[in-house]
Amino acid sequence: MQEAEELELWRPVSIYDSDTLVGFAMYGYFPEPAPGKLWLDRLLIDKKYQGKGYGKQAVLALLERLQAEYVSDKVYLSVYENNLHAIRLYQQIGFCFNGEYDTKGEYIMEYYFKR
């Protein structure tokens, strides 16, 4: 949340199942350097709710939201190479590695919207 407070380009969102808070996500569009990039930067599911499908549901819902909110054909995210569960989830949804790394050394993945 501190990042979202420090940089207004970030959009934090809570992930709920009915009235129960199960996680958090954050996304943002960065216009510089041109042409700009749309990032799904955080996806955190509370440990007691992991393995119940919330992560996949959250990513799919976020992709719908991002496609509606932004004029972009692609979404980026980054993931540590040892986070195999997250990598598998993102690949099932349609994210692919693009061969690049972010400033923290995480692998960058991208997803192309089907329009």
Side-chain angles (χ1 to χ4, degrees), residues 63-99:
L63 289 172
E64 284 182 30
R65 182 176 186 158
L66 295 174
Q67 189 172 22
E69 278 187 38
Y70 297 95
V71 179
S72 181
D73 63 342
K74 174 169 30 172
V75 177
Y76 297 88
L77 60 77
S78 59
V79 63
Y80 285 109
E81 67 180 308
N82 64 347
N83 194 346
L84 300 178
H85 185 76
I87 291 169
R88 203 167 23 257
L89 168 71
Y90 297 137
Q91 288 176 326
Q92 287 174 354
I93 291 171
F95 281 88
C96 298
F97 290 107
N98 68 4

Coordinates of all heavy atoms in Angstrom, one line a residue, residues 63-99:
L63 N -7.9 -9.0 -15.1 CA -7.7 -8.9 -16.6 C -8.9 -8.3 -17.2 O -8.8 -7.4 -18.1 CB -7.3 -10.2 -17.2 CG -5.9 -10.7 -16.9 CD1 -5.7 -12.2 -17.4 CD2 -4.8 -9.8 -17.4
E64 N -10.1 -8.7 -16.8 CA -11.3 -8.1 -17.4 C -11.4 -6.6 -17.0 O -11.7 -5.7 -17.9 CB -12.6 -8.7 -16.8 CG -12.9 -10.1 -17.4 CD -14.1 -10.7 -16.8 OE1 -15.1 -9.9 -16.5 OE2 -14.2 -11.9 -16.8
R65 N -11.0 -6.3 -15.8 CA -11.0 -4.9 -15.3 C -10.0 -4.0 -16.1 O -10.3 -2.9 -16.5 CB -10.8 -4.8 -13.8 CG -10.8 -3.5 -13.2 CD -10.6 -3.5 -11.7 NE -10.8 -2.2 -11.1 CZ -11.1 -2.0 -9.9 NH1 -11.2 -3.1 -9.1 NH2 -11.2 -0.8 -9.4
L66 N -8.8 -4.6 -16.3 CA -7.8 -3.8 -17.0 C -8.1 -3.6 -18.4 O -7.9 -2.5 -19.0 CB -6.4 -4.6 -16.9 CG -5.9 -4.7 -15.5 CD1 -4.6 -5.6 -15.5 CD2 -5.6 -3.3 -14.9
Q67 N -8.7 -4.6 -19.0 CA -9.1 -4.5 -20.4 C -10.2 -3.4 -20.6 O -10.2 -2.6 -21.6 CB -9.6 -5.8 -21.0 CG -9.8 -5.8 -22.5 CD -10.1 -7.1 -23.1 OE1 -10.6 -8.0 -22.4 NE2 -9.9 -7.3 -24.4
A68 N -11.1 -3.3 -19.6 CA -12.1 -2.3 -19.7 C -11.6 -0.9 -19.3 O -12.1 0.1 -19.9 CB -13.3 -2.6 -18.7
E69 N -10.6 -0.8 -18.4 CA -10.1 0.5 -18.0 C -9.1 1.1 -18.9 O -9.0 2.4 -18.9 CB -9.5 0.4 -16.6 CG -10.5 0.4 -15.4 CD -9.8 0.4 -14.1 OE1 -8.8 1.1 -13.9 OE2 -10.3 -0.3 -13.2
Y70 N -8.3 0.3 -19.6 CA -7.2 0.9 -20.3 C -7.2 0.5 -21.8 O -7.7 -0.6 -22.1 CB -5.9 0.3 -19.7 CG -5.7 0.8 -18.3 CD1 -6.0 0.0 -17.2 CD2 -5.1 2.0 -18.0 CE1 -5.8 0.4 -15.9 CE2 -4.9 2.4 -16.7 CZ -5.3 1.6 -15.6 OH -5.1 2.0 -14.3
V71 N -6.7 1.3 -22.6 CA -6.5 1.0 -24.0 C -5.1 0.5 -24.1 O -4.1 1.2 -24.3 CB -6.7 2.3 -24.9 CG1 -6.5 1.9 -26.3 CG2 -8.1 2.9 -24.6
S72 N -5.0 -0.8 -24.0 CA -3.7 -1.5 -24.1 C -3.9 -2.9 -24.6 O -5.0 -3.5 -24.3 CB -3.0 -1.6 -22.7 OG -1.8 -2.2 -22.8
D73 N -3.0 -3.4 -25.4 CA -3.2 -4.7 -25.9 C -2.5 -5.8 -25.1 O -2.5 -7.0 -25.4 CB -2.7 -4.8 -27.4 CG -1.2 -4.5 -27.5 OD1 -0.6 -3.9 -26.6 OD2 -0.7 -4.8 -28.6
K74 N -1.7 -5.3 -24.0 CA -0.9 -6.3 -23.3 C -0.8 -5.8 -21.8 O -0.8 -4.7 -21.5 CB 0.4 -6.3 -24.0 CG 1.5 -7.0 -23.5 CD 2.8 -7.1 -24.4 CE 3.0 -6.0 -25.4 NZ 4.3 -6.2 -26.1
V75 N -0.6 -6.8 -21.0 CA -0.4 -6.6 -19.5 C 0.9 -7.3 -19.2 O 1.2 -8.5 -19.6 CB -1.5 -7.2 -18.7 CG1 -1.2 -7.1 -17.2 CG2 -2.9 -6.6 -19.0
Y76 N 1.7 -6.7 -18.3 CA 2.9 -7.3 -17.8 C 2.8 -7.6 -16.4 O 2.1 -7.0 -15.6 CB 4.1 -6.3 -18.0 CG 4.4 -5.9 -19.4 CD1 3.7 -4.9 -20.1 CD2 5.3 -6.6 -20.2 CE1 4.0 -4.5 -21.4 CE2 5.6 -6.3 -21.5 CZ 4.9 -5.2 -22.1 OH 5.2 -4.9 -23.4
L77 N 3.6 -8.6 -15.9 CA 3.8 -8.8 -14.5 C 5.2 -9.4 -14.4 O 5.8 -9.8 -15.4 CB 2.8 -9.8 -13.9 CG 2.6 -11.2 -14.5 CD1 3.6 -12.2 -14.0 CD2 1.2 -11.7 -14.1
S78 N 5.7 -9.5 -13.2 CA 7.0 -10.1 -12.9 C 6.9 -11.1 -11.8 O 6.1 -11.0 -10.9 CB 8.1 -9.0 -12.6 OG 7.7 -8.3 -11.5
V79 N 7.8 -12.1 -11.9 CA 7.7 -13.2 -10.9 C 9.1 -13.8 -10.7 O 9.9 -13.9 -11.6 CB 6.7 -14.3 -11.4 CG1 7.2 -14.9 -12.8 CG2 6.4 -15.4 -10.4
Y80 N 9.3 -14.2 -9.5 CA 10.6 -14.8 -9.2 C 10.6 -16.2 -9.7 O 9.6 -16.9 -9.7 CB 10.9 -14.9 -7.7 CG 11.3 -13.5 -7.1 CD1 10.4 -12.8 -6.2 CD2 12.5 -13.0 -7.3 CE1 10.8 -11.6 -5.7 CE2 12.9 -11.8 -6.8 CZ 12.0 -11.1 -6.0 OH 12.4 -9.9 -5.5
E81 N 11.8 -16.6 -10.2 CA 11.9 -17.9 -10.9 C 11.6 -19.1 -10.0 O 11.2 -20.2 -10.5 CB 13.3 -18.1 -11.5 CG 14.4 -18.2 -10.4 CD 15.8 -18.4 -11.1 OE1 16.0 -19.3 -11.9 OE2 16.7 -17.6 -10.7
N82 N 11.7 -19.0 -8.7 CA 11.4 -20.1 -7.8 C 9.9 -20.1 -7.4 O 9.5 -21.0 -6.6 CB 12.3 -20.1 -6.6 CG 12.1 -18.8 -5.7 OD1 11.5 -17.9 -6.1 ND2 12.7 -18.8 -4.5
N83 N 9.1 -19.2 -7.8 CA 7.7 -19.2 -7.5 C 6.9 -20.0 -8.6 O 6.2 -19.5 -9.4 CB 7.2 -17.8 -7.4 CG 5.8 -17.7 -6.8 OD1 5.1 -18.7 -6.6 ND2 5.4 -16.5 -6.4
L84 N 7.2 -21.3 -8.5 CA 6.7 -22.2 -9.6 C 5.1 -22.2 -9.6 O 4.5 -22.4 -10.6 CB 7.2 -23.6 -9.4 CG 8.8 -23.7 -9.5 CD1 9.2 -25.1 -9.3 CD2 9.3 -23.1 -10.8
H85 N 4.5 -22.1 -8.4 CA 3.0 -22.2 -8.4 C 2.5 -21.0 -9.1 O 1.5 -21.1 -9.9 CB 2.6 -22.2 -6.9 CG 1.1 -22.4 -6.8 ND1 0.4 -23.6 -7.0 CD2 0.1 -21.5 -6.5 CE1 -0.9 -23.4 -6.8 NE2 -1.1 -22.1 -6.5
A86 N 3.0 -19.8 -8.8 CA 2.5 -18.6 -9.5 C 2.8 -18.7 -11.0 O 1.9 -18.3 -11.8 CB 3.2 -17.3 -8.9
I87 N 4.0 -19.1 -11.4 CA 4.3 -19.3 -12.8 C 3.3 -20.2 -13.5 O 2.8 -19.8 -14.6 CB 5.8 -19.8 -13.0 CG1 6.7 -18.7 -12.6 CG2 6.0 -20.2 -14.5 CD1 8.2 -19.1 -12.5
R88 N 3.0 -21.3 -12.9 CA 2.1 -22.3 -13.5 C 0.7 -21.6 -13.6 O 0.0 -21.8 -14.7 CB 2.0 -23.5 -12.6 CG 1.6 -24.7 -13.3 CD 1.8 -26.0 -12.5 NE 1.9 -26.0 -11.1 CZ 3.1 -26.0 -10.4 NH1 4.2 -26.2 -11.1 NH2 3.1 -26.0 -9.1
L89 N 0.3 -20.9 -12.6 CA -1.0 -20.2 -12.7 C -1.1 -19.2 -13.8 O -2.0 -19.2 -14.6 CB -1.3 -19.5 -11.3 CG -2.5 -18.5 -11.3 CD1 -3.8 -19.3 -11.4 CD2 -2.4 -17.6 -10.1
Y90 N 0.0 -18.4 -13.9 CA 0.0 -17.3 -14.9 C 0.0 -18.0 -16.3 O -0.6 -17.5 -17.3 CB 1.1 -16.4 -14.7 CG 1.1 -15.6 -13.5 CD1 2.2 -15.4 -12.7 CD2 -0.1 -15.0 -13.0 CE1 2.1 -14.7 -11.5 CE2 -0.2 -14.3 -11.9 CZ 0.9 -14.1 -11.1 OH 0.9 -13.4 -9.9
Q91 N 0.8 -19.0 -16.5 CA 0.8 -19.7 -17.8 C -0.5 -20.3 -18.2 O -0.9 -20.3 -19.3 CB 2.0 -20.8 -17.8 CG 3.3 -20.2 -17.8 CD 4.4 -21.2 -17.7 OE1 4.3 -22.2 -17.1 NE2 5.6 -20.9 -18.4
Q92 N -1.2 -20.9 -17.2 CA -2.5 -21.5 -17.5 C -3.5 -20.4 -18.0 O -4.3 -20.7 -18.8 CB -3.1 -22.1 -16.2 CG -2.5 -23.4 -15.8 CD -3.0 -23.9 -14.5 OE1 -3.8 -23.2 -13.8 NE2 -2.6 -25.1 -14.1
I93 N -3.3 -19.2 -17.5 CA -4.2 -18.1 -17.9 C -3.8 -17.5 -19.2 O -4.7 -17.0 -20.0 CB -4.2 -17.0 -16.8 CG1 -4.9 -17.5 -15.5 CG2 -4.8 -15.7 -17.3 CD1 -4.8 -16.7 -14.3
G94 N -2.6 -17.7 -19.6 CA -2.1 -17.2 -20.9 C -0.9 -16.3 -20.9 O -0.5 -15.8 -22.0
F95 N -0.3 -16.1 -19.8 CA 0.9 -15.3 -19.7 C 2.0 -16.1 -20.2 O 2.1 -17.3 -20.0 CB 1.2 -14.8 -18.2 CG 0.4 -13.7 -17.7 CD1 -0.9 -13.9 -17.2 CD2 0.8 -12.4 -17.8 CE1 -1.6 -12.9 -16.7 CE2 0.1 -11.3 -17.4 CZ -1.2 -11.6 -16.8
C96 N 3.0 -15.4 -20.9 CA 4.2 -16.0 -21.4 C 5.4 -15.2 -21.0 O 5.3 -13.9 -20.9 CB 4.2 -16.1 -22.9 SG 2.8 -17.1 -23.6
F97 N 6.5 -15.9 -20.8 CA 7.8 -15.1 -20.5 C 8.2 -14.4 -21.8 O 8.0 -14.9 -22.9 CB 8.9 -16.1 -20.1 CG 8.7 -16.7 -18.8 CD1 8.3 -18.0 -18.7 CD2 8.9 -16.0 -17.6 CE1 8.1 -18.6 -17.4 CE2 8.7 -16.5 -16.4 CZ 8.3 -17.8 -16.3
N98 N 8.7 -13.2 -21.6 CA 9.2 -12.4 -22.8 C 10.7 -12.3 -22.9 O 11.2 -11.6 -23.7 CB 8.5 -11.0 -22.8 CG 9.0 -10.1 -21.7 OD1 9.9 -10.4 -20.9 ND2 8.4 -8.9 -21.6
G99 N 11.4 -13.0 -21.9 CA 12.9 -13.0 -22.0 C 13.5 -11.8 -21.3 O 14.8 -11.7 -21.3

